[in-house]
């Protein structure tokens, strides 16, 4: 693991920077989840790097964009393995900080072939990435040439310092909000884009419905350009803020009624992802925007192996789409296809697609 340098990196391509924890996944598949005190044999196994940030950046790198990670990595065999694996995928690890006496984070992941679910048992490592680790020289170097910063709040104090610096340099920030964490609101205030787990919007806003929770997030976070709520095998819903002017006399549209109407006109029978968008409309709180529903790819049961990391693959594809200025509908269906590729192998990275993958040809006809 090399130390960071102050050399200027060519900026002919946009760079994605991710800040977060690296984690090692010990994956096993079983024919069915074991009962208490039962001994069973696994049907397959794999050891692979994991963690939201590492997975998403691996996806970005395979799609052909330069990316780098800022993390504190333990100087143990697991830490060295994770760094080498990222480097082999094309992720720049030169800004990773070495913790001489640390221990790596790791996960036990049990994949149930009967129910197509996965259960994670997380063991935290130490020490965490702290603000004191981020010198002014490091911050300037790691942000050089970056177009989008990706954070998830797991190292919230260090991430906040990094996000504040990125904000001052007009670098876009994408936050992955999985659940309520201490200090997450300060990161959300700086975010340009948010991707959330199914339950987060309602948990955070205490709104009566998911659509109203998405609207509440746009009202409470005026910098936010869009918020996406992922729904697993049911796809995702996006609420996008729009600058388009609507008639001053136009009445506010009820967000729940708009969502229900959009669901009724969405083709959920399609095998490939479908994107269905509402018209730009006036919503509550002086927000003008549109609602977008995206279906998930229907994966045959014979091909569905493991959903571990599917959300990270989706996020990685979004990062690519934002950096390359993809149109919204194209970016969302692209991300859904990339996530489906991830589900066809054991672990978060095994079947992450490269940009030469035929399944992505219609999206990546030209170089990034």
């Amino acid at each position: 693991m090399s130390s960071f340098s102050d050399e200027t990196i060519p900026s002919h391509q946009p760079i994605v920077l991710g800040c977060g924890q690296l984690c090692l996944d010990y994956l096993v598949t079983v024919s069915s989840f074991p009962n208490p005190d039962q001994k069973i044999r696994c049907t397959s196994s794999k050891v692979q790097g994991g963690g939201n940030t590492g997975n998403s950046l691996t996806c970005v790198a395979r799609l052909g964009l330069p990316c780098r990670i800022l993390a504190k990595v333990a100087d143990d065999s697991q830490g060295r393995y994770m760094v080498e694996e990222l480097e082999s995928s094309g992720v720049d690890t030169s800004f990773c900080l070495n913790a001489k006496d640390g221990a790596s984070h790791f996960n036990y992941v049990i994949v149930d072939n009967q129910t197509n679910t996965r259960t994670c048992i997380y063991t935290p490592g130490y020490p965490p990435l702290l603000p004191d680790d981020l010198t002014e020289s490091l911050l300037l170097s790691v942000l050089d040439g970056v177009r989008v910063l990706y954070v998830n709040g797991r190292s919230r104090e260090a991430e906040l310092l990094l996000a504040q610096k990125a904000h001052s340099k007009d670098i876009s920030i994408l936050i992955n909000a999985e659940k309520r964490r201490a200090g997450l609101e300060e990161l959300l205030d700086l975010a340009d884009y948010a991707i959330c787990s199914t339950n987060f919007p309602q948990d955070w806003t205490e709104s009566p419905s998911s659509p109203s929770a998405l609207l509440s997030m746009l009202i409470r976070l005026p910098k936010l350009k869009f918020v996406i709520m992922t729904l697993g095998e049911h796809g995702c819903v996006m609420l996008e803020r729009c600058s388009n002017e609507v008639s001053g006399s136009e009445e506010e549209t009820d967000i729940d009624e708009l969502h229900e109407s959009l669901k009724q006109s969405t083709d959920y029978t399609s095998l490939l992802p479908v994107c269905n968008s509402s018209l730009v409309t006036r919503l509550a709180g002086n927000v003008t925007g549109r609602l977008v529903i995206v279906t998930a790819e229907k994966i045959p049961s014979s091909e569905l192996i493991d959903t571990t990391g599917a959300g990270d693959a989706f996020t990685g594809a979004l990062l690519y789409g934002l950096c390359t200025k993809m149109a919204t509908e194209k970016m969302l269906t692209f991300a859904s296809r990339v996530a489906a590729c991830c589900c066809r192998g054991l672990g978060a990275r095994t079947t992450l697609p490269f940009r030469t993958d035929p399944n992505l040809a219609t999206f990546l006809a030209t170089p990034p």
Side-chain angles (χ1 to χ4, degrees):
M1 188 188 320
S2 57
S3 60
F4 75 92
S5 74
D6 292 322
E7 294 180 4
T8 301
I9 296 173
S11 57
H12 63 281
Q13 279 191 308
I15 298 171
V16 176
L17 169 63
C19 181
Q21 298 173 348
L22 292 182
C23 183
L24 194 64
D25 289 346
Y26 297 91
L27 300 120
V28 295
T29 61
V30 294
S31 56
S32 63
F33 198 84
N35 296 317
D37 207 30
Q38 183 183 16
K39 292 183 179 180
I40 62 172
R41 186 184 296 270
C42 74
T43 56
S44 62
S45 64
K46 181 183 288 288
V47 179
Q48 189 176 81
N52 301 120
T53 307
N55 294 339
S56 294
L57 291 180
T58 298
C59 179
V60 172
R62 291 190 182 185
L63 292 173
L65 278 186
C67 57
R68 59 179 71 132
I69 185 167
L70 175 60
K72 184 178 281 187
V73 184
D75 188 20
D76 54 18
S77 59
Q78 294 95 331
R80 291 188 290 273
Y81 176 88
M82 289 186 284
V83 169
E84 290 170 1
E85 185 181 33
L86 286 173
E87 289 173 346
S88 70
S89 292
V91 179
D92 178 2
T93 66
S94 62
F95 295 91
C96 286
L97 305 175
N98 199 314
K100 292 292 185 183
D101 299 316
S104 293
H105 310 274
F106 63 91
N107 264 323
Y108 294 117
V109 184
I110 304 171
V111 180
D112 184 346
N113 287 336
Q114 187 176 63
T115 59
N116 290 324
T117 58
R118 54 102 173 96
T119 301
C120 299
I121 305 169
Y122 176 62
T123 301
Y126 61 88
L129 182 67
L130 298 172
D132 287 347
D133 295 317
L134 307 183
T135 64
E136 184 68 14
S137 177
L138 172 57
L139 288 171
L140 290 173
S141 296
V142 78
L143 288 169
D144 183 42
V146 170
R147 180 170 293 177
V148 181
L149 167 65
Y150 169 59
V151 294
N152 56 34
R154 291 182 180 272
S155 304
R156 58 185 179 276
E157 293 179 350
E159 289 176 36
L160 180 59
L161 179 59
L162 180 63
Q164 289 169 338
K165 194 70 173 180
H167 174 67
S168 72
K169 295 170 70 66
D170 294 322
I171 294 170
S172 297
I173 299 169
L174 170 68
I175 186 169
N176 183 355
E178 287 187 324
K179 61 182 180 180
R180 298 181 73 164
R181 304 179 192 276
L184 189 64
E185 293 198 17
E186 294 171 289
L187 277 171
L188 283 166
D189 284 337
L190 293 170
D192 297 274
Y193 313 99
I195 178 169
C196 307
S197 63
T198 304
N199 297 323
F200 178 83
Q202 277 188 269
D203 287 346
W204 189 63
T205 64
E206 299 181 348
S207 299
S209 68
S210 294
S212 63
L214 297 180
L215 177 56
S216 180
M217 288 186 70
L218 286 193
I219 294 171
R220 291 170 60 174
L221 303 168
K223 189 171 184 281
L224 207 59
K225 297 174 182 175
F226 69 61
V227 54
I228 295 173
M229 179 179 66
T230 57
L231 303 170
E233 63 180 330
H234 301 295
C236 70
V237 178
M238 167 195 273
L239 185 60
E240 182 179 34
R241 191 191 306 272
C242 298
S243 58
N244 310 47
E245 290 188 10
V246 294
S247 170
S249 61
E250 182 177 322
E251 293 184 0
E252 289 183 355
T253 301
D254 182 88
I255 189 68
D256 290 300
E257 292 180 3
L258 181 64
H259 180 242
E260 188 58 35
S261 173
L262 201 60
K263 283 172 61 180
Q264 296 299 324
S265 63
T266 300
D267 180 10
Y268 287 98
T269 65
S270 174
L271 297 179
L272 295 178
V274 170
C275 185
N276 189 20
S277 306
S278 75
L279 296 175
V280 175
T281 185
R282 188 185 304 281
L283 301 166
N286 294 320
V287 173
T288 299
R290 61 173 179 156
L291 199 63
V292 184
I293 288 178
V294 183
T295 64
E297 182 173 335
K298 290 181 171 55
I299 306 173
S301 57
S302 60
E303 297 178 21
L304 180 58
I305 304 299
D306 177 19
T307 59
T308 301
D312 299 332
F314 186 90
T315 301
L318 282 183
L319 289 165
Y320 178 93
L322 290 171
C323 275
T324 56
K325 300 181 179 179
M326 274 188 180
T328 299
E329 291 85 350
K330 181 179 180 181
M331 177 176 68
L332 291 172
T333 51
F334 170 64
S336 188
R337 291 230 72 184
V338 171
C341 291
C342 178
C343 296
R344 288 175 161 90
L346 179 61
R349 304 179 188 177
T350 302
T351 50
L352 277 178
F354 292 85
R355 65 176 293 107
T356 53
D357 190 310
N359 290 307
L360 307 182
T362 56
F363 300 99
L364 304 177
T366 58

